[in-house]
Amino acid sequence: MRAMITLYTAATPNGHKVSIALEELALPYELRVLDLAAGEQQRPGFLAINPNGRIPAIVDHAAGDFAVFESGAILVYLAEKTGRLMPQDAKGRSRVLQWLMFQMGGVGPMMGQANVFYRYLPEKLQPAIDRFQAEGRRLFEVLDGHLAQHEWLAGDYSIADIANWAWVRTHRWSGISIDGLPHLRRWRDAIRERPAVQRGLERPPAPLRLAQGGSDDAQAQAFAERARTMVVTGRPQPPQET
Ligand SMILES: N[C@@H](CCC(=O)N[C@@H](CS)C(=O)NCC(=O)O)C(=O)O
C-alpha cells in the first residue's frame, strides 16, 4: 500500500527535521533519498515538486498529491494537518513560529555558511569563518538564555524545538562550541533521548561524525568531499531522469 506521504530528503539537518517530525507524529511515509552531490535535486521531476532544487520536500498523497517545500513550511503543514506539535491559539502558534523563524532565518543559514567556509571550501577565508561561527555562537547564547527560563522553546515540545535541535546537534561540524551554555546542553540532551528523534535520525542515517565534528576519519572526509563538490560546482549537472 502506498504511504500517505513521500519525503524527498538526504542525511542533512534540514532533511532530519522533517523525518523527526513525521516520526513524532507517527504519519506513514516513504523516503526518496536524493544524491545531492550527483545533482539529483536538479532533475526536472524533482523541480516540479520543489522549484528551488533543494531537499527536503514532501508530497502528501492523502491531500491530492499536494507538494510542500522549505523545511519550516513542511513542519507547519504537518503540525496543522495533525493538530499536534504546535498550539492552535494565536499566541501559542505565534510563539512557535517565532522560534521556527529564528532557526530558518538565523541558526540554519549561519551554521550552513560556517560549514561552507570552515569545512568545504578549499580556500580558508578566515574572516568569513569567524563571522559565521561568531554569529552561530551568538544565536546559541540567545537559545541558552531562553532555555534558562523555559523547558522548551515555545510552550510544550514543538516543531520549533525539532527545527533548532536538528542544527544545534551538529554544532561541532560547524566549529561552534556550546561550552558554557548549560541550558542549551540540557535541552539538546533531552531531545536526543526521544525515541522518535532517534528513529528520525536514521531516515536516512545521519553521518556519525557530522554530530561529533571529527574531521580525521574516512566517513567525515567522504562527507566533506561530497559537500565540497556540491558547493564548488554550485549547480551540479542533473543525472538522466530514470
Ligand atoms: N531553506 C531550505 C534550505 C534547503 C537546503 O539548503 N537544502 C540543502 C541540504 S540541507 C540542499 O538541498 N542542498 C543541495 C544543493 O545545494 O544543491 C529549507 O529549509 O528547506
Side-chain angles (χ1 to χ4, degrees):
M1 201 179 72
R2 191 178 201 187
M4 177 198 275
I5 288 172
T6 300
L7 167 59
Y8 297 83
T9 191
T12 74
N14 286 326
H16 284 135
K17 283 180 208 171
V18 180
S19 51
I20 290 169
L22 286 163
E23 292 290 337
E24 292 280 9
L25 295 167
L27 289 172
Y29 68 103
E30 64 184 15
L31 284 190
R32 294 280 178 82
V33 179
L34 302 192
D35 183 343
L36 301 181
E40 287 185 346
Q41 68 278 25
Q42 298 297 337
R43 282 180 170 167
F46 181 67
L47 291 174
I49 294 166
N50 180 359
N52 193 31
R54 295 284 186 273
I55 64 90
I58 63 166
V59 174
D60 185 350
H61 306 295
D65 288 341
F66 184 63
V68 190
F69 67 93
E70 282 293 323
S71 58
I74 298 170
L75 293 178
V76 171
Y77 177 79
L78 295 175
E80 290 185 337
K81 181 181 173 76
T82 55
R84 294 173 53 206
L85 293 176
M86 181 170 71
Q88 285 161 30
D89 66 290
K91 285 184 184 170
R93 191 171 178 278
S94 171
R95 286 189 192 100
V96 168
L97 291 178
Q98 289 168 50
W99 287 105
L100 180 64
M101 300 295 171
F102 176 89
Q103 184 280 308
M104 291 295 294
V107 173
M110 293 306 130
M111 292 183 73
Q113 293 307 316
N115 292 346
V116 167
F117 288 101
Y118 179 58
R119 293 278 181 190
Y120 307 146
L121 278 190
E123 306 86 7
K124 289 297 160 223
L125 300 174
Q126 199 58 46
I129 295 172
D130 292 346
R131 160 70 186 161
F132 292 117
Q133 289 182 338
E135 185 62 2
R137 170 72 192 197
R138 188 190 69 76
L139 295 168
F140 286 2
E141 290 171 4
V142 173
L143 288 169
D144 187 69
H146 186 73
L147 290 166
Q149 309 291 333
H150 304 88
E151 183 177 8
W152 307 111
L153 287 175
D156 293 336
Y157 174 74
S158 72
I159 54 172
D161 295 292
I162 293 172
N164 282 277
W165 184 86
W167 277 95
V168 170
R169 70 174 283 275
T170 66
H171 69 94
R172 289 194 194 91
W173 188 253
S174 309
I176 304 174
S177 169
I178 61 167
D179 288 354
L181 304 177
H183 311 291
L184 186 67
R185 199 177 280 275
R186 184 265 304 155
W187 169 88
R188 191 267 317 255
D189 293 349
I191 295 176
R192 191 169 53 194
E193 293 305 309
R194 297 177 70 88
V197 169
Q198 291 171 18
R199 289 196 302 275
L201 283 183
E202 290 298 313
R203 309 212 68 203
L208 189 64
R209 299 289 161 181
L210 199 61
Q212 294 181 348
S215 56
D216 49 351
D217 64 72
Q219 191 188 23
Q221 284 179 11
F223 183 89
E225 188 54 45
R226 290 175 71 74
R228 185 173 302 122
T229 307
M230 200 173 71
V231 168
V232 171
T233 56
R235 203 183 174 100
Q237 286 301 308
Q240 291 298 308
E241 195 93 32
T242 52

